Amino acid sequence: MTGTLISPDSVLPAVTADRDALFAEGLEADTLGKLPDSTVTRMKDAGVIRLLQPVDYGGMEATPRQFAETVMGIARINPSAGWVAGIVGVHPWQLAMADKSVQDDVWGTDPDTWMASPYMPNGVAVRVDGGYRMSGRWSFSSGTDHCTWAFLGAMAHDADGNMELPPRMLHVVIPRTDYEIIEDSWDVVGLKGTGSKDLVVENAFIPDERVMEYDHLIDGSQVARAGLEQTVYRMPWSCVFPLGITAATVGISEGLLDTAREYLEDRIGAQGTAIKDDPYVLYQLGESEAKIYQARQALIANAEEIHDIVDRGDEVSFARRAQGRRTQAEAAWTAVRAVDNIYARCGGTALRMDKPMQRFWRDAHAGLHHAIHVPSTVFHASALSSLGVDPEGPLRAMI
């Protein structure tokens, strides 16, 4: 099945053509607790979620830069839409590695089909003839109301219901008919419009062809088994999976900076001095702009460098992957710290709920709470690698 092909470079201009409408839909999303249908239609018409989808199924096989810049550009105007673009947008990249029959099931009649997640291994997958029986509950399923399939994480159990040892983590592909969305499960302070609700599965059958092993995604054997030659699909999981999440967080920070600039243009400070004449606020504005630009460029350069390594046919070492994860996490923290500094200099009026700054500020901080932005083990592994030590155990997780 091949859908209408769209150039990756045309996606962001298309989805942001009516910036005012896209911005207003972000406010509506916060009220609804999910993206409104108008935003989803806008994103589908522009082909947002098809950026990393295979060409054979109506996708664009975009470069990491094209994907990241599109996510940033959307998040800069509508944080929740940008977040969903980053999360849901990476699922076609993984589905490209699945059995062709599974791709046909998901995309065969509609290349604009969206898939939810999450990958946290909260499912209990018990081995049965021809596959697994799975039950569990998962939180943080971003954009889930508009998805008709999902990738869910689970731990493999034997036929007697005992967890396999050593533990084996699975990613399973499951249709919307086999899971329930818990409607009142997304009551949060930030990224309210993403609709990242809980999912529940009760004793669903998962055929073998809809199961991937997490270790095979990490070590590259899954993509090798799928026979994919395209560079973008042979990139490490630890680079591509977090890319959309960090790009959204940086883009939201850019959006806060935009709204702060607009607010500060005519602001008079508490001492009666116009902000344009206040060297202290101007210094902070300049520094925040520099830091956010630094975060954007570091994130993109990191992805492009890894893309080039893979394109040459070279292996991306663990040390380089750890360095890449360190760069991603630091980009998010650098961007959010930068907007904290300028937001604090916008005065008490910036706290008003009718001012857009507070929404961007809340959403940016919510982005830092994603597991991929926790820097502890990432920085630990990167530092050990730089000293010639090959980390073991939990330090290798997600890298």
Side-chain angles (χ1 to χ4, degrees), residues 328-339:
Q328 290 169 333
E330 181 58 24
W333 282 88
T334 295
V336 176
R337 289 189 190 111
V339 292

Side-chain angles (χ1 to χ4, degrees), residues 154-339:
M155 298 304 298
H157 289 61
D158 63 26
D160 295 324
N162 301 309
M163 184 182 292
E164 292 186 11
L165 295 176
R168 196 161 55 92
M169 189 188 305
L170 309 176
H171 287 182
V172 308
V173 178
I174 186 168
R176 176 68 183 84
T177 51
D178 287 352
Y179 60 87
E180 177 188 0
I181 298 172
I182 307 302
E183 288 298 333
D184 61 352
S185 57
W186 187 239
D187 185 14
V188 289
V189 69
L191 291 172
K192 296 171 69 174
T194 63
S196 303
K197 302 171 183 176
D198 289 10
L199 306 182
V200 172
V201 174
E202 294 184 5
N203 199 35
F205 175 66
I206 314 294
D208 281 326
E209 62 268 21
R210 291 186 185 166
V211 178
M212 296 184 188
E213 293 201 27
Y214 175 71
D215 286 348
H216 295 170
L217 290 164
I218 293 296
D219 67 17
S221 59
Q222 181 70 42
V223 69
R225 186 179 298 110
L228 295 171
E229 300 293 334
Q230 302 94 316
T231 300
V232 67
Y233 297 123
R234 292 188 289 115
M235 291 181 67
W237 167 272
S238 61
C239 176
V240 179
F241 166 65
L243 181 60
I245 301 167
T246 307
T249 305
V250 173
I252 294 167
S253 299
E254 291 177 322
L256 197 157
L257 184 62
D258 290 340
T259 60
R261 281 198 203 97
E262 182 179 352
Y263 176 67
L264 291 172
E265 281 182 4
D266 300 317
R267 183 169 183 260
I268 305 297
Q271 306 303 318
T273 302
I275 295 304
K276 290 178 179 178
D277 296 323
D278 186 330
Y280 305 106
V281 176
L282 293 178
Y283 174 88
Q284 189 56 66
L285 178 60
E287 182 184 63
S288 294
E289 290 172 335
K291 291 292 186 181
I292 292 174
Y293 180 77
Q294 171 188 328
R296 164 185 274 265
Q297 296 306 113
L299 181 66
I300 292 172
N302 175 67
E304 288 193 313
E305 288 171 11
I306 292 177
H307 181 275
D308 289 347
I309 293 171
V310 175
D311 197 52
R312 292 195 302 267
D314 295 336
E315 179 185 357
V316 185
S317 67
F318 178 85
R320 181 62 186 86
R321 299 199 308 272
Q323 176 191 338
R325 286 286 296 114
R326 180 200 68 199
T327 299
Q328 290 169 333
E330 181 58 24
W333 282 88
T334 295
V336 176
R337 289 189 190 111
V339 292

Side-chain angles (χ1 to χ4, degrees), residues 218 317-323 325 376-399:
I218 293 296
S317 67
F318 178 85
R320 181 62 186 86
R321 299 199 308 272
Q323 176 191 338
R325 286 286 296 114
S376 51
T377 55
V378 170
F379 283 17
H380 189 169
S382 176
L384 283 176
S385 296
S386 72
L387 296 175
V389 178
D390 190 15
E392 298 180 353
L395 292 179
R396 301 187 74 87
M398 279 293 296
I399 295 175

